[in-house]
Amino acid sequence: MSKFRTKKGKGSPAINTSSLPDIIFMLLFFFMVTTVMREVTLKVKLKLPTATEVQKLDKKSLVSYIYIGPPTNALMYGTESRIQLNDQFARVNDVPEFIASEREARNEADRPFLTTSLKVHNDTKMGVVTDVKQELRKAGAFRINYSTLKGVAKN
Amino acid sequence: MARRASTEINAGSMADIAFLLLIFFLVTTTMDVDTGIVRRLPPPVEEEIDQKIKERNVMNVLVNKNDRLLVNGKPGSVSTLKEVAKNFMMPHFPDNINFPEAEQKSIELIGDVYVSKGVISLKNDRGTSYDMYINVQNELARAFNELRDELSRNKFGMKFSQLTDENKIKAINEAVPVRISEAEPESIGGN
């Protein structure tokens, strides 16, 4: 029985946890810096296709997004693919205006490098995509990016 | 003067507060990098200019509304498209009537190479699914990338994607230009 007593008597010193908040803060700052809050709420379903020959889009601030897909609220808006610009549904004719406002928001020096990323749902028909591309051509936004996931393309 | 013993602020809950914030940012963080296939759209044409391109220099790829492929007038499939495109775009010398013309160019850092004059013309219907379109674009991109890799390995000893020297990338770009032409849209196959 004395065995227990001796152990208790020595007692290992408690681990010093005073630096724990610092460690946590460090992690916190890391995530704060890397966080990009999604600035739009998606109103369309997006299931991106996969491809193998993908490139990374490096400068995120120079990318404007156009979402095309079937509306999430199918009861209200149907299942036909719609275009979403910023936070609302739009028609094809609204694309040039959107591009103009995106250009306006950027530095003058950066404007030529503005890329338009097309985030299009898998099952969308090309008709609407072609229309958007035509509008982009007319608006002078020639750099485009078909947003795809990296992965094995299915044949 | 009443000296109050300065009581230490209890910092024990500091970690909890930090944890709470940390978890919030952990949840909201999206670390996804945007990836995709980058393409350049052609500027709009003012009037129909019938650009004459020799027939042997063009490879026609049509995708109809049922996602079927027509490659140079014959039914094709996505699985073989890359090989066909690669074969087509490979500069052939001496001149072969079945393949596009090749012209000799001297490019800095590479030297004299034959550059194919071939163009891949891609045309899709309004009813084509986006999935299929991306598949086709991907296969064509793969063909070009493989050609570039081969040339890059030959000349610089590494893959094209691993090149870091701006001038080398430019040289390869010039030797193997990505020539995918998308036809003006029109509705084929009755949507």
Side-chain angles (χ1 to χ4, degrees), chain A residues 10-11 18 20 46 50 56 60 73 88-89 111 121 128 131-132 147 154:
Chain A
K10 271 184 189 167
S18 61
L20 192 63
L46 276 186
T50 51
K56 261 186 211 163
K60 267 205 169 157
N73 192 346
Q88 60 210 10
F89 288 124
R111 278 177 205 170
H121 190 275
V128 62
D131 289 343
V132 169
S147 193
K154 57 172 193 292

Side-chain angles (χ1 to χ4, degrees), chain B residues 4-183:
Chain B
R4 210 178 290 167
S6 63
T7 48
E8 240 178 80
I9 299 168
N10 184 8
S13 54
M14 184 93 110
D16 300 349
I17 297 165
F19 256 126
L20 217 74
L21 280 167
L22 174 64
I23 287 161
F24 170 71
F25 279 102
L26 260 169
V27 169
T28 54
T29 295
T30 47
M31 291 249 237
D32 58 328
V33 261
D34 220 12
T35 53
I37 300 173
V38 180
R39 285 277 167 271
R40 260 197 105 79
L41 294 173
V45 278
E46 300 290 311
E47 65 219 47
E48 282 295 308
I49 314 162
D50 210 10
Q51 226 178 12
K52 291 266 187 294
I53 301 178
K54 281 190 193 159
E55 209 171 299
R56 59 182 280 204
N57 287 349
V58 184
M59 173 173 150
N60 275 306
V61 180
L62 272 95
V63 195
N64 78 351
K65 66 165 185 162
N66 296 325
D67 291 353
R68 296 295 197 78
L69 275 178
L70 199 66
V71 182
N72 275 339
K74 288 188 217 89
S77 85
V78 177
S79 46
T80 55
L81 184 62
K82 187 210 83 190
E83 278 307 317
V84 175
K86 202 176 152 190
N87 236 332
F88 177 81
M89 288 306 294
M90 193 122 44
H92 284 264
F93 197 83
D95 208 25
N96 185 337
I97 198 78
N98 295 319
F99 290 101
E101 294 169 289
E103 57 176 341
Q104 198 172 20
K105 256 189 190 173
S106 82
I107 297 166
E108 238 180 293
L109 290 170
I110 295 182
D112 286 351
V113 281
Y114 288 100
V115 179
S116 172
K117 276 184 169 179
V119 176
I120 295 179
S121 162
L122 174 62
K123 202 170 195 174
N124 62 274
D125 185 68
R126 290 187 67 86
T128 308
S129 80
Y130 184 67
D131 201 23
M132 185 63 187
Y133 177 76
I134 288 295
N135 261 341
V136 170
Q137 282 272 16
N138 188 48
E139 290 305 308
L140 295 180
R142 238 173 80 195
F144 282 105
N145 282 352
E146 280 184 15
L147 284 175
R148 286 176 164 192
D149 275 350
E150 277 165 26
L151 185 68
S152 179
R153 272 230 188 79
N154 250 333
K155 302 287 178 188
F156 305 125
M158 54 174 115
K159 280 168 101 180
F160 178 65
S161 53
Q162 287 165 338
L163 288 179
T164 44
D165 189 348
E166 204 68 36
N167 292 323
K168 283 182 183 173
I169 293 174
K170 229 174 160 179
I172 297 278
N173 263 333
E174 206 176 321
V176 189
V178 176
R179 288 225 186 92
I180 300 175
S181 150
E182 286 193 61

